[in-house]
């Protein structure tokens, strides 16, 4: 994992967009973003049982697996959104970027690779993209049913209860 300020320059979303200014794990934690690294699946199993995550699946995001819809999917993952539940991703192979909004509403880019696990809190505005390799395989953990409907950012969404709870816990 490496986190840094997104450079806000034009260009494909899959390019690094690296400003050269790093963001440390403590700063991520202030935003409610938790990071772990597990070389063994047993670490993930323990975290899942502590947090009540009973179910999991795996997704591969690549042109090989997704075919013609790949480009469209990658664009849709990159729309700024939130979820009303935590988003947990454990990277099994490949690489990708999760971008999260900072306290000052700037993008922080989090580059993840194999064995990285990230927890994004409910209500945080974020987006995802593959990198230039166009390949990532990730485990998605969830409590009951998959509940990761993306709610796209809007002024109305700022009044959502989960958004308000996030703002009061982490951005004030
Ligand atoms: C997400 O939340 O955007 C995704 O599930 C994308 C694939 S997981 C790396
Ligand atoms: Ni999401």
């Amino acid at each position: 994992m490496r986190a840094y300020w997104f450079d806000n320059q034009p260009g494909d979303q899959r390019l690094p967009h690296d400003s050269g200014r790093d963001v440390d794990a403590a700063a991520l934690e202030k935003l409610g973003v938790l990071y772990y690294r597990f070389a063994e699946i047993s670490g993930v199993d323990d975290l899942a049982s502590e947090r009540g995550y009973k179910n999991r699946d795996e997704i591969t995001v690549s042109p090989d697996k997704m075919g013609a819809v790949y480009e469209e999917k990658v664009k849709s993952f990159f729309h700024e959104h939130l979820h009303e539940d935590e988003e947990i991703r454990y990277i099994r192979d490949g690489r990708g970027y999760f971008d999260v909004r900072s306290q000052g509403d700037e993008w922080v880019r989090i580059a993840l690779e194999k064995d990285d696990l990230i927890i994004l809190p409910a209500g945080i505005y974020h987006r995802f993209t593959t990198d230039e390799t166009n390949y990532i395989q990730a485990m998605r953990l969830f409590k009951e049913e998959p509940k990761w409907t993306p709610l796209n950012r809007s002024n109305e969404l700022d009044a959502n209860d989960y958004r308000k709870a996030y703002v009061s816990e982490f951005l004030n």
Side-chain angles (χ1 to χ4, degrees):
M1 187 277 278
R2 183 179 156 238
Y4 53 86
W5 296 98
F6 186 81
D7 69 4
N8 293 309
Q9 295 304 306
D12 193 286
Q13 67 192 49
R14 288 167 282 203
L15 294 171
H17 289 279
D18 187 353
S19 65
R21 292 178 297 131
D22 281 24
V23 172
D24 64 20
L28 291 181
E29 202 172 328
K30 278 195 168 176
L31 296 173
V33 175
L34 302 178
Y35 165 73
Y36 302 85
R37 189 169 173 89
F38 294 118
E40 306 284 340
I41 195 73
S42 58
V44 177
D45 294 341
D46 292 346
L47 180 135
S49 62
E50 279 160 25
R51 297 180 91 96
Y53 284 84
K54 297 183 203 124
N55 298 306
R56 55 184 70 176
D57 69 5
E58 290 213 7
I59 180 174
T60 301
V61 183
S62 72
D64 273 0
K65 274 276 164 176
M66 290 182 162
V69 300
Y70 172 74
E71 290 292 331
E72 195 182 302
K73 275 281 181 195
V74 162
K75 282 202 184 72
S76 81
F77 290 143
F78 204 60
H79 286 137
E80 182 172 3
H81 64 276
L82 61 74
H83 308 280
E84 295 184 342
D85 206 346
E86 291 178 335
E87 176 165 323
I88 306 191
R89 297 289 183 269
Y90 177 48
I91 311 307
R92 307 307 298 122
D93 201 11
R95 283 191 283 274
Y97 300 121
F98 281 89
D99 295 341
V100 299
R101 287 290 189 184
S102 71
Q103 174 111 24
D105 215 22
E106 302 287 332
W107 286 118
V108 174
R109 174 152 282 196
I110 306 168
L112 297 180
E113 61 182 7
K114 185 177 174 354
D115 296 340
D116 287 339
L117 184 149
I118 195 158
I119 304 181
L120 304 185
I124 193 172
Y125 282 127
H126 66 280
R127 62 188 184 187
F128 169 79
T129 185
T130 44
D131 74 358
E132 293 159 279
T133 64
N134 289 294
Y135 171 69
I136 192 167
Q137 190 182 334
M139 181 182 289
R140 308 187 288 192
L141 293 100
F142 45 99
K143 284 174 180 152
E144 306 292 341
E145 284 163 41
K147 192 186 146 200
W148 42 63
T149 311
L151 304 175
N152 286 337
R153 186 167 182 171
S154 69
N155 289 334
E156 295 74 57
L157 190 57
D158 288 340
N160 173 287
D161 285 345
Y162 294 86
R163 177 61 188 168
K164 287 196 291 189
Y166 174 76
V167 169
S168 77
E169 186 171 354
F170 295 107
L171 301 186
N172 285 333

